[in-house]
Amino acid sequence: MQTNGNAITNPTIFITAAVYGVLLRVAIFAGMFGMILLILLLLSLSRYAYSVLRDVAHERPLRPPAVETMNWIGELGPTLHSVFYLLAVFFLATSTLFEGTFANLVRWLAFGVILAGFPASAAEMAISGDMGAAFNLRQLMRVIGTMGNRYWTLLATCIGLGLLNVFSRTMLAHGGPLLLLADFITVWVFLALF
């Protein structure tokens, strides 16, 4: 049986990242239809990411995305969990409600708390499938306590992956095939976070 000791270098993850990267780039250039396709692809990708997390946690072989991943209504919990975190991060990063030194301090503190809690919340969501548990502070502290120092290593790895994504988007955003490579890296980083 295959183990997932090094799941981020698994060929399934690379192929999935390449396919989603190309499809996302097509959706970006497809006009109004592309917006609908982009939303469906992002929801599908987030649902697949939770299945990757489940497979890794249970030490099962990684499965490629299936048709069910496009049915974001079928299993609503992972979809809502992803949407909540994406909207919270987007709001905190772009909101003009935070003006002044104190307000910016509050914004960055909230941003840090949300990012620091995401791995525990995603793990709880993937394993239990319970939205209430994924946002329950006691449950999240239990997950963090169970992982111990490995949680902080995981958090540092997540930060490193985020910086890799920002760096690749900055360096490769010059058009053509480089955009496809940047999209591949973005999807791979997203899946690697899980």
Side-chain angles (χ1 to χ4, degrees):
M1 181 169 138
Q2 170 195 355
T3 62
N4 293 317
N6 202 3
I8 61 173
T9 59
N10 187 300
T12 301
I13 297 297
F14 281 120
I15 293 168
T16 301
V19 170
Y20 270 102
V22 169
L23 290 174
L24 289 170
R25 183 55 45 191
V26 166
I28 289 169
F29 286 116
M32 185 56 84
F33 170 73
M35 291 302 293
I36 296 167
L37 180 60
L38 183 64
I39 291 168
L40 289 174
L41 285 170
L42 290 174
L43 293 173
S44 167
L45 181 60
S46 69
R47 185 163 174 192
Y48 176 68
Y50 287 95
S51 79
V52 166
L53 182 56
R54 258 187 305 264
D55 287 346
V56 170
H58 293 293
E59 296 184 350
R60 294 187 298 230
L62 294 180
R63 296 165 289 167
V67 171
E68 301 90 51
T69 59
M70 288 303 280
N71 178 13
W72 55 273
I73 297 175
E75 191 178 356
L76 205 52
T79 303
L80 292 175
H81 189 262
S82 294
V83 167
F84 170 78
Y85 272 97
L86 289 173
L87 290 177
V89 167
F90 180 77
F91 173 75
L92 289 171
T94 62
S95 178
T96 58
L97 295 176
F98 300 98
E99 302 215 4
T101 306
F102 180 73
N104 273 325
L105 179 65
V106 169
R107 171 173 58 175
W108 288 110
L109 182 63
F111 191 75
V113 167
I114 286 175
L115 291 182
F118 176 74
S121 183
E124 189 63 45
M125 184 68 225
I127 301 304
S128 72
D130 182 9
M131 283 285 287
F135 292 109
N136 183 324
L137 187 57
R138 182 175 292 148
Q139 291 291 102
L140 299 183
M141 294 309 289
R142 185 184 58 78
V143 170
I144 293 170
T146 300
M147 291 187 70
N149 287 336
R150 292 179 304 151
Y151 187 79
W152 307 113
T153 303
L154 172 66
L155 197 55
T157 303
C158 291
I159 291 168
L161 286 169
L163 292 174
L164 170 67
N165 185 50
V166 169
F167 177 76
S168 71
R169 301 295 306 171
T170 303
M171 299 306 292
L172 301 173
H174 301 296
L178 293 178
L179 278 175
L180 284 175
L181 180 59
D183 292 339
F184 163 77
I185 292 171
T186 297
V187 174
W188 178 83
V189 163
F190 181 74
L191 293 174
L193 288 172
F194 284 83

